[in-house]
Amino acid sequence: MTIEHLLVSTRHRYEGRPADGPLPAPEGEPEERETIELRAGLGAVGDRYFGHRAHRDAAVTVFDAASLDHVTAETGIRDLDPAATRRTITIRGFPIDSLVGRLFALDSGAGPVRFRGHRAANPCAWMDVTLAPGAFRALRGRGGVRCVPTDDGTLSLGPALLDDDPTPPADV
């Protein structure tokens, strides 16, 4: 399995109507990262959802890059940008959508970080504007899983392990 893309954004860029287009990225704040820091119960350090009560169980979204392959198959559009999905972690090599409601762990070499998968990350109409026409429909049931880290840790791009049956944290 690999971690193909990491995104931390200080700002929610998909506001208003999709036809108006996304807000620009904050100047001088790169959203795409090689490494991200995660904090138990809070999310990705520096992200717009970090520590927000409304996103307590959904501060991090993990997405399967194979879903982009499905969008390509459905629409014929190639070279889709995983950043357009606005998902925190994009992996390849595991059907992440199967982990809704489950505990899982990711380890890219600095030690495992456990996550509690809470609910599906359903796609929105923005996907037709920012990713590809038809992406919204193609991503139904393939939008990833909204979760919260149960451990502090870091994840980096590259080879990784996913454990879909880790030892639960002591407080669960």
Side-chain angles (χ1 to χ4, degrees):
M1 198 218 83
T2 59
I3 296 176
E4 292 193 350
H5 190 263
L6 296 168
L7 184 131
V8 173
S9 176
T10 60
R11 141 186 229 186
H12 186 76
R13 294 182 47 214
Y14 294 173
E15 294 180 358
R17 296 174 299 180
D20 296 336
L23 297 171
E27 194 170 321
E29 294 181 26
E31 294 180 326
E32 297 179 54
R33 308 286 173 91
E34 290 187 20
T35 300
I36 60 172
E37 292 179 57
L38 298 144
R39 295 289 175 259
L42 299 172
V45 174
D47 192 72
R48 64 203 177 277
Y49 297 129
F50 183 82
H52 283 244
R53 290 180 58 84
H55 296 280
R56 182 177 315 148
D57 294 336
V60 173
T61 306
V62 184
F63 180 72
D64 183 0
S67 296
L68 294 178
D69 300 339
H70 180 75
V71 173
T72 294
E74 292 288 310
T75 66
I77 298 171
R78 299 189 172 286
D79 301 321
L80 300 173
D81 182 4
T85 66
R86 307 297 291 161
R87 302 313 195 228
T88 315
I89 302 165
T90 301
I91 65 163
R92 183 175 294 278
F94 191 90
I96 198 70
D97 295 284
S98 68
L99 296 179
V100 170
R102 297 191 44 208
L103 186 68
F104 63 97
L106 289 170
D107 186 347
S108 61
V113 179
R114 289 173 294 196
F115 295 87
R116 171 74 60 198
H118 285 282
R119 64 182 189 266
N122 296 316
C124 64
W126 280 95
M127 295 300 98
D128 282 350
V129 174
T130 61
L131 194 58
F136 172 54
R137 181 178 298 271
L139 285 173
R140 288 188 184 151
R142 294 179 170 85
V145 60
R146 294 195 186 281
C147 53
V148 64
T150 61
D151 300 307
D152 292 351
T154 62
L155 292 173
S156 299
L157 296 176
L161 298 173
L162 189 147
D163 182 354
D164 63 346
D165 191 25
T167 303
D171 63 344
V172 173

